[in-house]
């Protein structure tokens, strides 16, 4: 029996997409090819690799149900003694959200490597097969831990990764933090730390998954943005609808128009939790002594929203 198996979980995405015309990289349908089919053609992946289809969706349609199912399957496989790590094939569009969610819930001591593609499987030069090979290389690396993302030879942490390009193959960046490392000819060159895994991770993850399984509806948390001419009407509407949390994607260092600010203060007085993030793709929001709302601790608006939802379910890190 292999004791260093890699389990590859499929969830869909462009990496599993097909186009009727091989020269088209955008006119395609995502999530059509099964993960076992994607893997079977890649040389070197025939031994010690298992596949499982968890979902088959375009990741723009990601749901809390798929997240819960995925967290459960990853947790299940990581608990197996014969499994060294898990790879997940995923669409690029919400990849950073799924990665952040899994790290927040599982904080695994084994590697969980999400990978993707910008071109469909049927393209003249698809990028998916190399990305899968690179992701498996990371999952097999001795000492690798935590939830990470592999794309175009770069290894990113779940905490820092963001999709930063709509079209190019190297579509992800890690901002000021930079990548964890680079995959070069099936060798990993590490340039900074692995994501942190707490002690007793298995117990914590098991408890968190049990809570997720019991939750019938996730807390309603929305994102609002600051921009010229914005008013508070959207926030007022969300409060009337019973929103529990709001992340504001502020301008610059998380600044908010006075009209939006007034509406957010009103929401806060009614018990809505507010977090201040930024619409800038680089840098973190720094706290000031006169702040009305807490800063997002370096998280982008979508990740701050996930942390707030988990916090409202009692699952904050
Ligand atoms: C998706 O996110 O599922 C489609 C886009 C992509 O994978 O690049």
């Amino acid at each position: 029996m292999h004791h260093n198996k890699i389990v590859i979980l499929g969830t869909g995405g462009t990496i599993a997409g097909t186009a009727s015309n091989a020269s088209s990289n955008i006119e395609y349908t995502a999530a059509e090819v099964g993960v076992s089919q994607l893997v079977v053609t890649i040389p070197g992946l025939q031994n010690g690799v298992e596949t499982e289809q968890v979902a088959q969706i375009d990741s723009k349609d990601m749901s809390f149900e798929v997240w819960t199912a995925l967290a459960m399957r990853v947790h299940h496989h990581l608990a197996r003694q014969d499994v060294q790590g898990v790879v997940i094939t995923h669409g690029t569009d919400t990849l950073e959200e799924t990665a952040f969610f899994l790290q927040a819930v599982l904080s695994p001591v084994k590697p969980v490597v999400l990978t993707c593609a910008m071109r469909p499987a049927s393209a003249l030069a698809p990028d998916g097969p190399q990305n899968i090979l690179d992701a498996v290389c990371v999952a097999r690396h001795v000492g690798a831990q935590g939830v990470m993302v592999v794309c175009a030879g770069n290894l990113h942490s779940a905490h820092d990764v963001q999709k930063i390009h709509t079209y190019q193959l190297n579509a992800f960046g890690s901002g000021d933090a930079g990548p964890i490392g680079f995959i070069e000819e099936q060798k990993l060159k590490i340039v900074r730390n692995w994501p942190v895994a707490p002690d007793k991770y298995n117990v914590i993850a098991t408890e968190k998954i049990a809570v997720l399984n019991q939750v019938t509806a996730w807390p309603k948390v929305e994102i609002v943005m600051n921009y010229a001419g914005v008013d508070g009407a959207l926030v007022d509407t969300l409060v009337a609808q019973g929103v529990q949390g709001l992340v504001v994607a502020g301008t610059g260092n998380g600044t908010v128009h006075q009209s939006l600010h007034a509406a957010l203060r009103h929401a806060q007085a009614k018990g809505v939790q507010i977090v201040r993030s930024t619409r800038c793709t680089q840098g973190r929001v720094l706290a000031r002594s006169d702040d009305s709302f807490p800063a997002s601790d370096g998280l982008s608006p979508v990740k701050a929203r996930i942390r707030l939802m988990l916090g409202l379910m009692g699952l904050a890190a």
Side-chain angles (χ1 to χ4, degrees):
M1 184 168 81
H2 273 279
H3 284 280
N4 57 352
K5 273 198 194 129
I6 304 298
V7 179
I8 307 184
L9 303 177
T11 69
T14 294
I15 193 166
T18 49
S20 51
N21 174 357
S23 61
S24 175
N25 292 315
I26 58 166
E27 303 273 341
Y28 62 85
T29 309
E32 293 207 314
V33 184
V35 64
S36 56
Q37 258 178 287
L38 291 179
V39 167
V40 85
T41 55
I42 304 173
L45 289 195
Q46 273 62 53
N47 287 323
V49 169
E50 251 177 65
T51 59
E52 180 181 319
Q53 198 76 44
V54 175
Q56 189 63 301
I57 59 169
D58 186 319
S59 84
K60 72 179 173 58
D61 300 321
M62 186 50 68
S63 67
F64 302 138
E65 291 73 25
V66 171
W67 271 0
T68 303
L70 188 58
M72 285 176 66
R73 295 314 292 159
V74 172
H75 188 51
H76 165 82
H77 289 297
L78 291 182
R80 291 171 47 190
Q81 282 194 350
D82 59 335
V83 169
Q84 185 174 358
V86 169
V87 167
I88 302 170
T89 57
H90 196 291
T92 57
D93 286 344
T94 57
L95 186 73
E96 70 217 54
E97 294 184 54
T98 300
F100 183 80
F101 163 74
L102 291 174
Q103 175 66 22
V105 171
L106 301 174
S107 300
V109 291
K110 290 182 183 178
V112 175
V113 190
L114 288 93
T115 196
C116 56
M118 290 297 286
R119 293 179 180 163
S122 58
L124 288 175
D127 51 330
Q130 183 70 52
N131 284 344
I132 293 174
L133 195 61
D134 289 352
V136 170
C137 165
V138 174
R140 286 205 193 285
H141 190 90
V142 175
Q145 67 170 41
V147 181
M148 293 163 282
V149 167
V150 160
C151 182
N154 291 270
L155 175 64
H156 303 277
S157 77
H159 186 275
D160 298 302
V161 69
Q162 238 182 316
K163 187 171 181 185
I164 55 169
H165 204 284
T166 55
Y167 183 73
Q168 289 177 4
L169 302 189
N170 189 6
F172 290 87
S174 283
D176 293 341
I180 295 175
F182 307 97
I183 306 99
E184 299 161 336
E185 296 300 311
Q186 298 194 56
K187 286 204 178 61
L188 179 60
K189 177 175 168 50
I190 304 168
V191 293
R192 66 177 183 91
N193 57 305
W194 300 106
V196 174
D199 293 344
K200 300 204 180 136
Y201 100 94
N202 212 16
V203 178
I204 298 167
T206 305
E207 285 168 2
K208 286 187 176 181
I209 286 176
V211 172
L212 282 181
N213 262 324
Q214 280 162 14
V215 167
T216 45
W218 281 40
K220 190 168 165 57
V221 177
E222 301 292 348
I223 299 171
V224 292
M225 190 187 271
N226 194 53
Y227 40 80
V230 69
D231 62 23
L234 192 52
V235 169
D236 294 343
T237 305
L238 290 168
V239 172
Q241 287 177 2
V243 78
Q244 289 163 269
L246 287 170
V247 174
V248 55
T251 28
N253 189 33
T255 56
V256 179
H257 189 293
Q258 52 191 350
S259 304
L260 182 57
H261 191 270
L264 290 169
R265 285 287 273 182
H266 178 70
Q268 193 180 38
K270 294 205 152 186
V272 179
Q273 290 202 31
I274 316 287
V275 174
R276 212 164 45 88
S277 182
T278 177
R279 63 182 222 188
C280 295
T281 52
Q282 307 268 335
R284 56 192 286 120
V285 171
L286 298 167
R288 284 172 36 146
S289 55
D290 58 350
D291 284 342
S292 305
F293 316 116
S296 68
D297 193 24
L299 296 180
S300 64
V302 290
K303 290 181 184 176
R305 172 175 176 263
I306 294 167
R307 182 176 283 175
L308 189 47
M309 287 190 293
L310 293 175
L312 286 163
M313 290 188 281
L315 299 176

